Amino acid sequence: MDNTALTEHSDAQAASLLGLTSAALLTHFQSLAADARLGTSVPETLELARHASTRFAALDRALAALTDHGSSPEAGLGAFTEALGQFHRHTAPQTWPQVLLKCVLVCGFATDFEGAVSEHLPPALRAQFSSLVAEAQALAWWARQSLESLVDADPEVVHSLGLFGRRVLAEGSAQAQRVAGQDSSLAALCTGSVPGSLEELSASVQLIADLVEASAQRMVALGLQP
């Protein structure tokens, strides 16, 4: 394969990763904006709205990077929006504690994914990708602190959250498998393997299992049964 073909292949893989990231940011922004209505105080509502705005600002940067890699926003988002939108529809919180727990799990999943994938990325793409995911850590920290305060004030909150958390984990695993299955080139980029190979399939399955297990441990740390 000549250098031009290699470059095109790399750009296509980068565009897929940035398309996935853009779709994740868009659907997460939409979810957070909708969930803000469940805040039990004005400060809570405003804080979640602020975090939603950071997701949208990151989305703008992701779309610009996507264009730099030769893909349109429509093409990049279109490949992944349905799977990620379905995740958020199936895990829509009904209470404020559920909102906070979902933030902890979703942002934790994103941070763990970035950590696992970055080692396989070219330096420039790694820097782009890491900068887009970094702000999720601030939302996860705030949500965790808020949830721990709620649990300290009312330990019974824990009992109503376990089932919801398990639903988030199960749906996240299902949609991650869907995304990996529909784009073997992206899965290969994320796992450092050859597209369509048994190694890629095995590595993708293991990556998803590791991410779900890390999320389950976050639930355990909060006193929840995953």
Side-chain angles (χ1 to χ4, degrees), residues 43-213:
E44 288 174 343
T45 299
L46 291 176
E47 186 65 21
L48 192 62
R50 290 189 187 98
H51 283 290
S53 72
T54 67
R55 300 288 80 200
F56 197 84
L59 170 62
D60 276 339
R61 300 198 306 273
L63 293 176
L66 186 62
T67 301
D68 289 342
H69 284 279
S71 180
S72 68
E74 293 81 3
L77 285 167
F80 305 105
T81 301
E82 176 54 33
L84 293 169
Q86 186 166 314
F87 165 76
H88 286 292
R89 288 192 295 274
H90 289 178
T91 59
Q94 301 301 313
T95 67
W96 184 244
Q98 288 181 358
V99 170
L100 297 174
L101 177 58
K102 183 176 175 181
C103 286
V104 170
L105 296 178
V106 168
C107 294
F109 192 98
T111 300
D112 291 341
F113 178 65
E114 185 271 332
V117 167
S118 288
E119 64 180 290
H120 304 299
L121 303 179
L125 180 58
R126 182 189 308 132
Q128 283 181 320
F129 180 52
S130 297
S131 70
L132 294 171
V133 176
E135 289 163 348
Q137 296 178 18
L139 174 53
W141 182 87
W142 168 76
R144 184 184 181 91
Q145 294 293 112
S146 299
L147 187 55
E148 288 176 343
S149 295
L150 285 179
V151 171
D152 287 343
D154 181 9
E156 292 301 311
V157 169
V158 168
H159 301 307
S160 63
L161 284 178
L163 182 60
F164 177 75
R166 290 192 289 276
R167 190 197 325 161
V168 173
L169 264 58
E171 189 64 29
S173 176
Q175 296 305 330
Q177 291 175 47
R178 176 180 176 182
V179 168
Q182 76 183 38
D183 193 332
S184 63
S185 180
L186 172 61
L189 175 67
C190 292
T191 57
S193 54
V194 177
S197 65
L198 289 176
E199 177 194 11
E200 178 259 301
L201 176 60
S202 176
S204 297
V205 170
Q206 187 60 56
L207 172 60
I208 294 169
D210 289 345
L211 293 172
V212 171
E213 175 59 24

